[in-house]
Amino acid sequence: MNIETKVKKTIKEYKLCNKKEKVLVALSGGKDSTVTAYLLKKFGYDIEGIHLDLKIGEYSKRCLKAVKKLCEDLDIKLHVYDIKDDMGSGICYLRSAIQLKQKGNLKNCAVCGVIKKWIFNRIARKLYAKKIATGHNLDDEAQTFLMNIFKASPKLSANIGPISRNIQNKKFIPRIKPLFYVLEDDIRDFSKKNKLPVVYEKCPCSLDSYRIQVREFLETLSGKDKQNIIKNFNNISKRIKKDSKIEYCEACQEPSRNRLCKKCELMRV
Ligand code: SF4
Ligand SMILES: [Zn+2]
């Protein structure tokens, strides 16, 4: 099955989005989110793009340039969020300050991921988007699933799946992953074949050695093996108990399972 058919099937089977609702695509400048936007636009969905300018030196400049080019080429309305304007510093400084406070236990991507999710949810709501689409692919999801097993925390895998299904709250904008069943290599080939403007280099801050180790292990597996990991996840996902209690963060009023949301917990002085 080619990428286009696979993505159409995933959207239909999991009811990811419909053509009457606005979908905000989180565009990083990398191949995955670029292909996500390209396909959703091609299939006729009402999409807009959001790019977070994280201020990671020249890398961020290249990403912004690629995203702008994509949106111009495909006629996609683009929103650019400048983290320095809004939060006072680039992600590297924010992250280091948090890690210092937490005595360095938190990985770069864990900190950055929490902040990005918080920003995306707020912006999507302001723009009246009904879904947030991200570029997560089958390799990413298999990696997360395996890491949760190795950490003996299978409950964390409740977040995995083509659509976020573990949070039901009117202020929470569901996140969708149209590339959930697509292998990373196929996405790379597709983006090159279609000459999409993509930054192929990895983010210089993705230094989580454990994640890299799991990724390297996954690279030794065949596509079929990786698909089987996800099949296994699908078999057990129905049995993962979901925590349904959602309230609001006392500090920012965003949906949260605890008194403070993860972002405010991290940024607390
Ligand atoms: S790779 Fe990690 S540090 Fe870099 S932008 Fe993504 S989440 Fe943030
Ligand atoms: Zn908060």
Side-chain angles (χ1 to χ4, degrees):
M1 205 188 291
N2 68 27
I3 286 200
E4 296 199 16
T5 316
K6 231 179 227 178
V7 172
K8 273 186 189 162
K9 191 166 175 271
T10 306
I11 293 174
K12 195 171 165 213
E13 210 170 302
Y14 292 88
K15 299 187 178 61
L16 298 192
C17 48
N18 64 59
K19 291 183 180 168
K20 289 187 195 133
E21 61 189 16
K22 189 196 285 183
V23 177
L24 192 63
V25 185
L27 288 166
S28 66
K31 62 187 184 324
D32 306 304
S33 56
T34 301
V35 169
T36 303
Y38 175 85
L39 289 177
L40 289 178
K41 182 77 184 178
K42 184 170 180 185
F43 299 159
Y45 290 96
D46 175 14
I47 66 166
E48 289 183 11
I50 171 76
H51 174 72
L52 305 192
D53 185 353
L54 297 169
K55 302 288 174 198
I56 309 177
E58 289 301 312
Y59 172 75
S60 285
K61 287 182 191 158
R62 283 194 285 280
C63 290
L64 178 59
K65 196 173 161 203
V67 169
K68 279 186 173 165
K69 168 97 174 72
L70 177 83
C71 291
E72 270 164 32
D73 290 353
L74 301 184
D75 193 22
I76 296 171
K77 186 169 180 185
L78 174 66
H79 306 270
V80 178
Y81 172 97
D82 186 313
I83 196 166
K84 214 169 181 174
D85 284 352
D86 196 39
M87 295 195 165
S89 340
I91 194 73
C92 302
Y93 180 81
L94 287 174
R95 203 191 51 228
S96 311
I98 290 168
Q99 284 168 324
L100 208 66
K101 216 171 48 189
Q102 305 267 342
K103 301 196 173 61
N105 292 334
L106 280 167
K107 308 289 184 198
N108 287 359
C109 294
V111 176
C112 184
V114 165
I115 295 175
K116 288 199 300 190
K117 276 183 193 162
W118 183 85
I119 296 170
F120 284 142
N121 198 59
R122 270 195 331 157
I123 295 183
R125 218 174 40 237
K126 268 191 206 156
L127 296 172
Y128 302 104
K130 297 291 178 220
K131 303 279 164 52
I132 300 166
T134 64
H136 290 85
N137 60 45
L138 189 142
D139 293 60
D140 298 326
E141 301 298 295
Q143 199 179 305
T144 306
F145 181 52
L146 277 189
M147 285 173 72
N148 291 340
I149 289 180
F150 295 152
K151 283 189 277 187
S153 313
K155 211 177 154 190
L156 292 177
S157 295
N159 293 325
I160 299 179
I163 182 160
S164 47
R165 59 200 169 93
N166 62 335
I167 304 176
Q168 305 290 335
N169 181 286
K170 63 178 187 332
K171 285 180 86 178
F172 176 77
I173 311 301
R175 292 188 285 266
I176 60 170
K177 300 168 184 169
L179 304 183
F180 185 82
Y181 286 106
V182 187
L183 288 164
E184 184 168 17
D185 287 345
D186 294 343
I187 297 169
R188 187 178 296 103
D189 292 348
F190 183 88
S191 66
K192 287 189 173 163
K193 202 172 133 211
N194 287 281
K195 299 189 172 55
L196 299 176
V198 164
V199 175
Y200 287 100
E201 69 191 268
K202 288 231 175 299
C203 165
C205 297
S206 59
L207 302 172
D208 175 349
S209 54
Y210 186 51
R211 189 170 271 276
I212 291 170
Q213 215 180 327
V214 175
R215 190 189 301 143
E216 282 171 356
F217 164 66
L218 274 169
E219 276 164 14
T220 66
L221 304 181
S222 67
K224 185 85 194 138
D225 288 336
K226 291 183 212 170
Q227 279 156 350
N228 283 340
I229 293 174
I230 289 300
K231 261 192 201 155
N232 263 298
F233 161 73
N234 285 340
N235 288 336
I236 68 158
S237 70
K238 292 165 205 105
R239 277 175 273 155
I240 298 175
K241 201 170 167 292
K242 284 157 247 164
D243 192 353
S244 55
K245 193 175 133 272
I246 293 287
E247 289 173 9
Y248 296 102
C249 169
E250 274 181 20
C252 70
Q253 278 71 53
E254 283 294 302
S256 171
R257 293 191 194 286
N258 300 307
R259 199 173 59 78
L260 286 179
C261 71
K262 284 185 187 162
K263 173 256 173 196
C264 291
E265 182 69 45
L266 284 178
M267 297 187 78
R268 192 166 52 156
V269 189

